[in-house]
Amino acid sequence: MPSTLLKLGSFKFSTNTAVFDRMAKKHSWRWAAQARFGNNDLLQYTGKDAATISLSGIVATHRAGVGIGRIDELVAVGNLAVPQLLVAGTGEVMGYWVVTNAEEVGTRFVAGGAARRQAFTLELTFYGANLHNA
């Protein structure tokens, strides 16, 4: 039985669904600049941006039990337009995240036009530790 790498809402990332081989997490902070004549800008901290995660991986559609609809399932999670609980395969609860972008690239096509391999990139933005965004 394949182990779950990550779970976003009801979608489980595993070798039987979609496998990501790259996970990039980004944190950023806002600093407003006030121009000063003859001097460096004066910077003032104005807050922290929401963290983002970018997942890149593949769906091997030719593997038994995988099929070609897995990217559509990820898009359906985004189409729900509600924050989804993100849980790591280790059991770590990562809070609620929203899907902000999904990209799919199909390659190695077979008769009928089905892709044997689908590369994907999924971008998530942190919503909050709970649904009340507190």
Side-chain angles (χ1 to χ4, degrees), residues 32-91:
Q34 176 64 46
R36 298 188 297 178
F37 183 76
N39 217 336
N40 292 339
D41 288 352
L42 179 64
L43 298 178
Q44 181 177 6
Y45 177 72
T46 60
K48 180 176 148 180
D49 290 330
T52 60
I53 290 178
S54 179
L55 299 170
S56 300
I58 62 161
V59 175
T61 61
H62 63 283
R63 287 192 52 172
V66 176
I68 61 172
R70 300 306 181 169
I71 304 294
D72 293 336
E73 290 176 26
L74 282 171
V75 170
V77 171
N79 285 339
L80 292 173
V82 294
Q84 301 293 314
L85 185 62
L86 187 65
V87 181
T90 60

Side-chain angles (χ1 to χ4, degrees), residues 1 30 69 80 88 99 106-107 124 127:
M1 175 153 210
R30 292 184 304 275
L80 292 173
V99 177
T107 58
L124 309 171
Y127 176 82

